[in-house]
């Protein structure tokens, strides 16, 4: 009986690992599941506060901007149905928050739901709020963007696996990582 139990032990251990969700396919930075995605860092630019959130000096010149000059105020971490000032969500990025944007004038509720699902998996602050926001942005060059400080992933359709891989890098490059976000 002992020999049969020893032979069954590896299978039992594998089954318990699979049941708890720990597999080699976990999307971790540098992990095999994330190797097919590229989240290159943008150049370092000045990231001071501007005097007005309507300033054209906001951002780093990219579309959408993922770093640079920004407003002294930031947005609440929630899902918005109206466009929010880019200058404000840039400040969220500086704090290590994730920003998920969409440009769907004809509507794309299913895809926005995927962005909101990624938002629900973002890093959580000590106040229990997930440090991410979702908002429309009519200036996007593609339908969807997922961003962290100095990183942008553009998509024509939402790829939940790519978003999970990007979120694995949350706080990695932000100048003020881990700061709380209000709901």
């Amino acid at each position: 009986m002992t020999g049969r139990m020893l032979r069954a032990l590896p299978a039992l251990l594998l089954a318990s690992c699979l049941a708890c969700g720990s597999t080699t396919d976990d999307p971790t930075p540098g992990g095999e599941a994330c190797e097919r995605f590229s989240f290159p860092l943008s150049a370092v630019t000045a990231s001071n506060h501007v005097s007005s959130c309507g300033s054209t000096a906001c951002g780093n010149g990219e579309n959408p901007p993922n770093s640079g000059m920004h407003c002294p105020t930031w947005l609440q971490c929630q899902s918005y149905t109206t466009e929010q000032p880019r200058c404000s969500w840039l400040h969220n990025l500086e704090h290590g928050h994730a920003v998920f944007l969409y440009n769907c004038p004809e509507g794309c509720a299913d895809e926005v739901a995927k962005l909101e699902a990624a938002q629900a998996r973002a890093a959580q602050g000590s106040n229990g709020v997930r440090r991410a926001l979702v908002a429309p942005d009519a200036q996007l060059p593609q339908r969807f963007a997922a961003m962290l400080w100095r990183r942008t992933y553009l998509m024509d359709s939402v790829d939940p696996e790519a978003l999970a891989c990007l979120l694995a890098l949350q706080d990695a490059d932000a100048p003020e990582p881990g700061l709380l976000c209000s709901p």
Side-chain angles (χ1 to χ4, degrees):
M1 185 115 156
T2 306
R4 284 195 331 222
M5 288 176 64
L6 287 176
R7 285 191 299 274
L9 186 57
L12 180 61
L13 290 174
L14 176 62
S16 66
C17 283
L18 291 175
C20 70
S22 176
T23 71
T24 57
D25 292 332
D26 284 347
T28 55
E32 287 180 33
C34 293
E35 286 179 1
R36 65 187 182 103
F37 303 110
S38 177
F39 311 114
L41 282 168
S42 296
V44 175
T45 59
S47 59
N48 301 329
H49 293 163
V50 295
S51 58
S52 165
C53 286
S55 174
T56 57
C58 288
N60 61 352
E62 294 183 21
N63 184 21
N66 60 19
S67 62
M69 306 290 278
H70 54 274
C71 290
T73 58
W74 56 91
L75 298 170
Q76 294 178 325
C77 288
Q78 62 185 35
S79 187
Y80 295 89
T81 57
T82 58
E83 277 194 62
Q84 300 301 305
R86 285 179 160 199
C87 206
S88 293
W89 53 250
L90 278 168
H91 200 152
N92 287 77
L93 291 174
E94 182 190 36
H95 289 189
H97 303 166
V99 173
F100 302 108
L101 303 172
Y102 60 95
N103 182 11
C104 305
E106 72 291 347
C108 56
D110 290 345
E111 298 290 294
V112 171
K114 292 176 188 176
L115 295 176
E116 290 171 340
Q119 175 191 22
R121 290 189 306 273
Q124 190 172 1
S126 61
N127 63 350
V129 175
R130 296 291 176 173
R131 297 181 312 106
L133 64 94
V134 176
D137 186 317
Q139 298 177 62
L140 291 180
Q142 288 182 251
R143 290 182 53 168
F144 305 98
M147 300 184 315
L148 300 173
W149 184 258
R150 294 181 52 215
R151 295 182 191 270
T152 300
Y153 189 74
L154 296 169
M155 308 162 276
D156 287 319
S157 61
V158 177
D159 183 338
E161 186 179 358
L163 300 183
C165 290
L166 181 67
L167 284 173
L169 299 168
Q170 191 169 358
D171 290 317
D173 305 295
E176 299 175 9
L179 292 182
L180 296 179
C181 193
S182 56

